[in-house]
């Protein structure tokens, strides 16, 4: 990511006098802005001194601690100004449980210059926003390495391949470890259970258990030590403590049996518990990794859509096979039958049907001919064509989709924040509970109190599982977001996916959302049909950016233009300009009424007729009277009526907002079955309408496609953009329907309901498992029926708890 040149001199600057921090500012263009920022900084706790240097475009603050820098940056952004930050995603290596994710997140958040950091255990990624003049990825990597983990810092292009190779290598190693652990543990179990009295039984079990605990399980002890050095604890701590205590206790009993014999007790060994627990946990991790790999299949599928090579057409007409990363904009590419399209571009010659289902979710191939757009990752059918490369590399639609899906899968749902807090204190609480269990058994357990207490404490440490808690939400989000992408529904964050199920009111824009968004002139009536008047209208509409203006100019494309003066665009109403000292208007009826312009009866009669036919009416006038009225028709989408009926069947209230006249709005609403509509609505009023619904307690979704919908999209609880709409609308919205098909809205809501239900099931299982399992492991049933849970069974239960959560998330894939 490149920094603006203005701030490049900040990159090497860090801090002075240890406490002084420079925050590069954006959009602070006047002394008044500087005063607002300075006042905002004065209210930030932990900021000792502050000043804003307008000419240097920076704020200089002195802080008590590193956390205050992040608070100061947030305060500046909340005031509406910008701070030059970099936001990046890095794969995190060596994490084994949810507590690991909490530890990494904590150390990164406490690194100087970091504004915000979030670690997702399921995707093993860190999303971090930082001040580039204070810190950099290498500093963050060292901070993470200091607690026993690592960050992968390769560039994005090679990062995924490297990460995949690392994961595959680790999976192979884990598989080998698991197989060896099971093979070596089997003799220990057999002897411990059935052949305890054969000669040298203890010594044979020790020989087989030692490599399992100290070689195959060494990572648990190494990671636990690294955590302990930083006064932290995770799942490795629990495994290391439980198996380490069982192993050392058994070694002591094997070497010094007389210590117990002198006290009238048997010197039991528990080598089978130590080795089998490690074997089961390794097996559980292996199954978990396999299942977690399946949750990210959607991303792998998307990445596999892009071909590795393309056929370039050289200026001399010859063909050349070249690697995809060497393709540049404006290169001419030949696509043969059955080939995948490599980059986004525009067809120059030839035509063919192209399968775009992998991007849009629509199964019917689309005909592509001259001047039509083609997209990377789509598959050419039987024809052949040439196209010019327009967007390559990270700029293609496919690359943007992959990034959006990855970001969404790595984001955290609101419920995850609570789970993270629990995971953060889970391990210390379990260790405390295990210690309490041991003490109670020691005090109340009689002659066998010490041994029973030790076994119970070990079983508590083994059965406790923070991983199931940590995986409950992110695995469901990963599968849900991936499934959405496969169906042509791009979800930008976990919060939107979680909130969509609660939507009970949907506000729909008309043009481009309910209609096709391809308006065409279907009728025109002139008062005086002279050439100059047509040229003025053509010139006026040619300067307008409105889609309806484009329809008018397309109709008069053969006309020549005239020079206009003082052109003005009047939001939500139309345009005006001067020609030969006379003012002219083009827009809706309200614009003309506000300027007290007369409407000839002949033109009014045509306008009324067209409005009743659901056509949009555009007026053209000089400063005295209307000169022409134009009818523009925008075809209603074929799926609109069915999609709206489906949403209404889900007990969702639907509202249509349009800037069009009341007669046209009423006709369109009637055709698609919408009971609530508002006509002649200005862009700013759309946002007010949504706020009004929110004040009534409704959870509102806004569906739109244009620049004029961006404020309303930002105001809504859930914002949905049409994929064929404006870039601004897509950027603001939290969901995008690639095919612009309204039926996808109901699919998105159903997907949200399924995902949230899966999260609740996962969390219920994870909490119940620990709430029931830990007391049983402590021996709560012993006074009632004499039942004591075997540490080996506890190890198996702990291993299966994580696998069951991930497997439940995978069920989402097959839900309809």
């Amino acid at each position: 990511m490149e920094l603006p040149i203005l701030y490049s001199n900040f990159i090497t600057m860090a801090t002075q006098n240890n406490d002084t921090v420079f925050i590069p500012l954006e959009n602070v263009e006047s002394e008044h802005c500087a005063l607002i920022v300075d006042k905002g900084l004065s209210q930030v706790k932990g900021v000792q001194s502050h000043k804003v240097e307008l000419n240097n475009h920076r704020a200089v603050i002195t802080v008590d601690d590193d956390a205050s820098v992040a608070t100061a940056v947030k305060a500046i952004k909340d005031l509406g100004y910008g701070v030059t930050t970099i936001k990046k995603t890095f794969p995190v290596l060596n994490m084994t449980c949810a507590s690991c994710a909490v530890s990494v997140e904590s150390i990164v958040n406490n690194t100087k210059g970091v504004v915000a950091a979030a670690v997702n255990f399921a995707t093993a990624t860190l999303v971090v926003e930082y001040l580039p003049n204070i810190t950099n990825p290498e500093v963050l990597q060292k901070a993470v390495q200091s607690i026993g983990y690592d960050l992968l810092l390769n560039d994005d292009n090679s990062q995924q391949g490297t990460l995949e190779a690392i994961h595959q290598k680790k999976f192979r190693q884990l598989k080998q470890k698991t197989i060896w652990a099971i093979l070596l543990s089997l003799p220990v179990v057999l002897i411990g259970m059935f052949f305890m009295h054969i000669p040298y039984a203890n010594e044979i079990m020790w020989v087989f258990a030692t490599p399992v605990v100290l070689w195959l399980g060494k990572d648990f002890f190494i990671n636990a030590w690294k955590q302990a050095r930083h006064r932290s604890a995770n799942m490795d701590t629990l495994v290391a403590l439980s198996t380490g205590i069982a192993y050392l206790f058994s070694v002591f009993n094997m070497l010094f049996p007389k210590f117990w014999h002198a006290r009238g007790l048997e010197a039991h060994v528990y080598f089978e518990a130590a080795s089998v627990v490690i074997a089961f946990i390794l097996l559980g991790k292996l199954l978990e990794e396999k299942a977690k790999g399946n949750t990210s299949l959607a991303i792998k599928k998307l990445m596999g859509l892009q071909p590795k090579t393309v056929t370039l057409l050289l200026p001399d007409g010859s063909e050349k096979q070249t690697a995809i990363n060497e393709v540049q904009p404006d290169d001419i590419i030949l696509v043969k039958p059955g080939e995948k399209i490599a980059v986004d571009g525009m067809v120059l010659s030839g035509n063919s049907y192209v399968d775009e289902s992998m991007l849009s979710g629509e199964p019917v191939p689309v005909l592509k001919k001259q001047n039509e757009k083609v997209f990377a990752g789509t598959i050419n059918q039987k024809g052949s064509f040439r196209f010019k490369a327009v967007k390559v590399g990270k700029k293609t639609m496919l690359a943007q989709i992959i990034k959006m899906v990855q970001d969404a899968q790595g984001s955290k749902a609101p419920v995850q924040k609570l789970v993270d807090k629990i995971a953060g204190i889970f391990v210390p609480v379990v260790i405390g509970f295990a210690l309490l269990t041991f003490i109670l058994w020691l005090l109340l357990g009689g002659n066998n109190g010490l041994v029973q207490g030790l076994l119970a404490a070990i079983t508590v440490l083994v059965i406790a599982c923070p991983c199931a808690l940590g995986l409950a939400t992110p695995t469901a989000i990963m599968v849900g977001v991936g499934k959405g992408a496969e169906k042509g529904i791009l979800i930008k964050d976990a919060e939107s996916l979680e909130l969509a199920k609660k939507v009970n009111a949907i506000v729909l824009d008309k043009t481009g959302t309910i209609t096709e968004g391809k308006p065409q002139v279907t009728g025109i009536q002139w008062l005086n049909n002279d050439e100059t008047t047509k040229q003025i209208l053509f010139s006026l509409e040619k300067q307008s950016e409105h889609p309806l203006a484009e329809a008018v100019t397309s109709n008069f494309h053969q006309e020549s233009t005239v020079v206009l003066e003082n052109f003005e665009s009047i939001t939500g109403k139309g345009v005006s300009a001067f020609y030969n000292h006379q003012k002219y208007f083009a827009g809706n009826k309200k614009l003309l009424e506000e300027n007290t312009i007369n409407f000839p009866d002949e033109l009014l009669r045509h306008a009324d007729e067209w409005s009743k036919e659901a056509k949009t009416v555009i007026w053209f006038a000089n400063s005295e009277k209307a000169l022409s009225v134009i009818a523009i028709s925008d075809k209603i989408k074929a799926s609109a009526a069915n999609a709206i009926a489906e949403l209404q069947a889900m007990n969702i209230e639907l509202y249509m907002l349009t800037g069009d006249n009341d007669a046209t709005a009423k006709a369109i609403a009637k055709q698609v079955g919408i009971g609530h509509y508002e006509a002649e609505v200005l862009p700013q009023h759309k946002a007010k309408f949504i706020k009004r619904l929110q004040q009534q307690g409704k959870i509102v979704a806004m569906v739109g496609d244009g620049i004029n919908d961006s404020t309303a999209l930002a105001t809504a609880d859930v914002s949905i953009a049409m994929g064929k709409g404006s870039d601004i609308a897509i950027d603001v919205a939290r969901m995008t329907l690639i095919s612009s098909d309204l039926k996808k809205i109901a699919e998105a809501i159903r997907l949200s309901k399924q995902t949230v239900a899966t999260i609740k099931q996962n969390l219920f299982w994870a909490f119940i498992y620990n709430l029931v399992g830990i007391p049983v492991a402590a021996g709560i049933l012993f006074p009632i029926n004499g039942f004591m849970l075997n540490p080996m069974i506890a190890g198996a239960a702990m291993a299966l708890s994580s696998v069951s959560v991930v497997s439940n998330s995978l069920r989402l894939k097959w839900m309809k």
Side-chain angles (χ1 to χ4, degrees), residues 266-328:
E266 282 287 323
H268 290 294
V269 293
Y270 299 96
F271 289 121
E272 77 280 5
S275 59
V276 171
V277 163
I278 283 178
F280 271 137
I281 289 169
L282 288 173
L283 178 62
K285 287 172 80 69
L286 184 73
L287 295 172
E288 184 186 312
E289 286 300 316
K290 183 82 174 168
K292 276 163 66 180
N294 289 332
T295 62
S296 58
L297 273 179
I299 280 287
K300 290 174 185 171
K301 278 184 189 174
L302 286 170
M303 287 177 169
L305 291 176
Q306 204 168 33
K308 299 288 184 284
T309 59
V310 297
T311 305
L312 282 186
L313 287 174
L314 303 179
D316 62 4
S318 61
E319 297 178 9
K320 178 190 173 187
Q321 287 286 323
T322 187
I324 190 168
N325 54 7
E326 292 178 14
V327 176
Q328 299 297 320

Side-chain angles (χ1 to χ4, degrees), residues 463-628:
I463 203 166
C465 186
C467 293
L469 278 174
L471 290 167
T473 304
T475 51
I477 293 294
M478 277 181 78
V479 178
V481 169
K483 186 178 178 182
E486 288 175 2
K487 289 182 171 290
I489 304 163
L490 294 184
I491 300 157
K492 287 189 183 175
D493 56 35
E495 190 170 351
S496 297
L497 183 59
E498 188 178 336
L499 192 58
K501 75 173 279 288
K502 298 178 182 176
V503 167
N504 52 21
I506 296 178
V507 176
L508 297 161
D509 173 50
K510 178 181 76 71
T511 306
T513 303
I514 293 174
T515 64
E516 293 283 1
K518 296 174 184 174
Q520 293 177 322
V521 173
T522 57
I524 185 163
Q525 184 65 34
W526 295 96
L527 194 62
N528 298 305
N529 193 359
D530 66 273
E531 199 60 34
T532 305
T533 308
K534 288 181 181 178
Q535 289 174 352
I536 295 168
L537 172 61
F538 178 67
S539 304
L540 195 57
E541 293 287 39
K542 197 171 176 65
Q543 293 189 49
S544 174
E545 294 178 350
H546 199 281
L548 296 180
E550 193 177 329
V552 176
T553 54
S554 297
N555 191 70
F556 293 104
H557 64 276
Q558 293 177 333
E559 296 291 339
S560 57
T561 57
V562 294
V563 179
L564 301 176
E565 295 176 340
N566 300 331
F567 176 84
E568 184 185 0
S569 178
I570 304 146
T571 305
K573 294 173 186 174
V575 292
S576 68
F578 282 86
Y579 176 71
N580 281 349
H581 308 293
Q582 170 80 287
K583 193 171 186 179
Y584 290 88
F585 301 88
N588 58 24
K589 194 175 183 181
K590 188 182 282 188
L591 176 66
L592 273 62
E593 286 173 343
E594 287 177 358
N595 288 276
T596 60
I597 291 167
N598 293 320
F599 295 92
D601 292 339
E602 182 188 347
L603 298 184
L604 272 173
R605 190 174 66 256
H606 278 90
D608 290 342
E609 286 174 7
W610 288 333
S611 293
K612 288 172 185 174
E613 294 170 8
K615 293 177 180 177
T616 301
V617 175
I618 299 293
W619 291 88
F620 173 56
N622 59 22
S623 54
E624 296 173 3
K625 62 183 177 183
L627 303 174
S628 173

Side-chain angles (χ1 to χ4, degrees), residues 320-398:
K320 178 190 173 187
Q321 287 286 323
T322 187
I324 190 168
N325 54 7
E326 292 178 14
V327 176
Q328 299 297 320
D330 296 330
D331 280 350
I332 308 301
I333 298 170
L334 174 65
V335 183
K336 296 173 184 176
E339 285 187 345
K340 289 178 182 175
I341 294 166
V343 296
D344 293 359
M346 187 77 73
V347 177
L348 297 176
S349 63
N351 59 74
S352 179
Y353 281 91
V354 174
D355 180 2
E356 295 185 340
S357 60
M358 59 290 299
L359 296 184
S360 66
E362 296 301 316
V364 182
V366 181
L367 177 62
K368 299 290 180 180
K369 48 187 188 290
Q370 191 174 1
N371 294 330
E372 297 227 344
K373 292 178 181 177
V374 289
F375 301 101
T378 55
I379 302 170
N380 182 30
Q381 301 291 288
K382 295 178 181 177
S384 180
F385 59 87
R386 301 176 181 191
F387 76 95
K388 181 172 75 173
V390 176
K391 292 180 180 178
V392 301
K394 295 179 188 176
K395 294 180 180 178
T396 66
M397 185 181 181
L398 177 63

